[in-house]
Amino acid sequence: MNNTIRHEIFERLKAANPAPTTELHYESTFQLLIAVLLSAQATDKSVNIATARFFPQHGTPQGLVDLGLDALTEYIKTIGLYKTKAKNVIKTCEILLACHNGEVPDDRAALEALPGVGRKTANVVLNTAFGHPTIAVDTHIFRVSNRTGLARGKNVVEVERKLEKVVPAQFRHDAHHWLILHGRYICVARTPKCPQCGIADLCEYKDKTLPR
């Protein structure tokens, strides 16, 4: 795939969705951080249902510390890995209060030092909350990048590095959102919806599904 085709792919994704954003519900940078932390190996829908139970009354670092581990665990027990996530959330809140005046740091190293916050979560927060042109590669973006030929790689870090090199600068801020939504709703894992795809003619996938 050459740069001209890559540029056209993002032009079309932008035309179809000029202002993409996360589907997680949040009202502050802190709430975004917690929602993304909880979303690992879980759907955004399940996270939104869970956070709606406690964000309104306890959606701050101090609020969650005051809520406590047991109550938080009960609120998020419908989410995968909820026990570990609950512990990480409380520990993260304590660190934010002790080291960052209760604010989410605009810094990758500081974010990745928080319990349960890996590279992908840090990238989402840096991009969505602080406007950094980062690309957080999850299973959807990994699949779309490899399947289309946009940026092939053997692991998520390799794909991330490749995307950082090949995505045109003017599209880099929103690239993460366009690709994840494309993978979630069109370029799905088992049977991609190629007949509905706006970039099918630019895609290098050899086993495209045919119209019924």
Side-chain angles (χ1 to χ4, degrees):
M1 181 173 289
N2 60 45
N3 290 334
T4 300
I5 293 176
R6 291 188 178 99
H7 192 281
E8 178 63 20
I9 285 174
F10 285 104
E11 282 283 13
R12 293 186 191 181
L13 293 175
K14 180 179 180 179
N17 187 1
T21 189
T22 179
E23 294 185 320
L24 292 168
H25 297 166
Y26 66 97
E27 294 185 356
S28 67
T29 300
F30 168 73
Q31 291 183 7
L32 172 66
L33 170 65
I34 298 306
V36 177
L37 191 158
L38 294 175
S39 71
Q41 299 183 45
T43 65
D44 287 1
K45 182 178 179 181
S46 69
V47 172
N48 289 337
I49 291 172
T51 55
R53 299 178 184 131
F54 63 89
F55 271 175
Q57 287 78 35
H58 310 284
T60 64
Q62 190 63 59
L64 286 180
V65 169
D66 292 343
L67 179 64
L69 178 61
D70 291 342
L72 177 61
T73 302
E74 185 67 20
Y75 278 127
I76 68 170
K77 66 181 181 180
T78 54
I79 299 176
L81 307 175
Y82 68 96
K83 291 184 179 179
T84 298
K85 290 177 180 178
K87 292 177 182 177
N88 286 336
V89 166
I90 295 299
K91 290 178 182 177
T92 286
C93 291
E94 292 172 345
I95 293 172
L96 291 178
L97 290 167
C99 303
H100 302 286
N101 297 314
E103 299 294 329
V104 177
D106 180 7
D107 177 80
R108 177 184 297 283
L111 284 169
E112 292 187 15
L114 299 171
V117 178
R119 184 175 185 84
K120 187 189 79 170
T121 297
N123 276 342
V124 173
V125 173
L126 289 171
N127 177 281
T128 305
F130 298 113
H132 293 228
T134 54
I135 301 175
V137 178
D138 68 349
T139 55
H140 295 301
I141 296 178
F142 182 78
R143 178 177 66 255
V144 170
S145 297
N146 276 286
R147 183 183 275 168
T148 62
L150 181 66
R152 291 193 172 99
K154 296 178 181 179
N155 54 61
V156 294
V157 174
E158 198 171 309
V159 169
E160 180 187 334
R161 299 296 191 208
K162 188 76 174 288
L163 286 170
E164 287 176 346
K165 291 181 180 179
V166 302
V167 175
Q170 67 265 45
F171 302 118
R172 202 162 296 156
H173 178 264
D174 292 323
H176 161 80
H177 297 300
W178 283 319
L179 294 175
I180 195 171
L181 292 171
H182 191 69
R184 186 173 290 164
Y185 296 112
I186 300 296
C187 197
V188 296
R190 293 186 179 180
T191 307
K193 301 175 183 178
C194 301
Q196 302 173 34
C197 178
I199 61 170
D201 59 312
L202 305 174
C203 169
E204 296 180 356
Y205 185 50
K206 296 180 180 179
D207 300 315
K208 292 184 176 69
T209 53
L210 301 174
R212 293 182 177 180

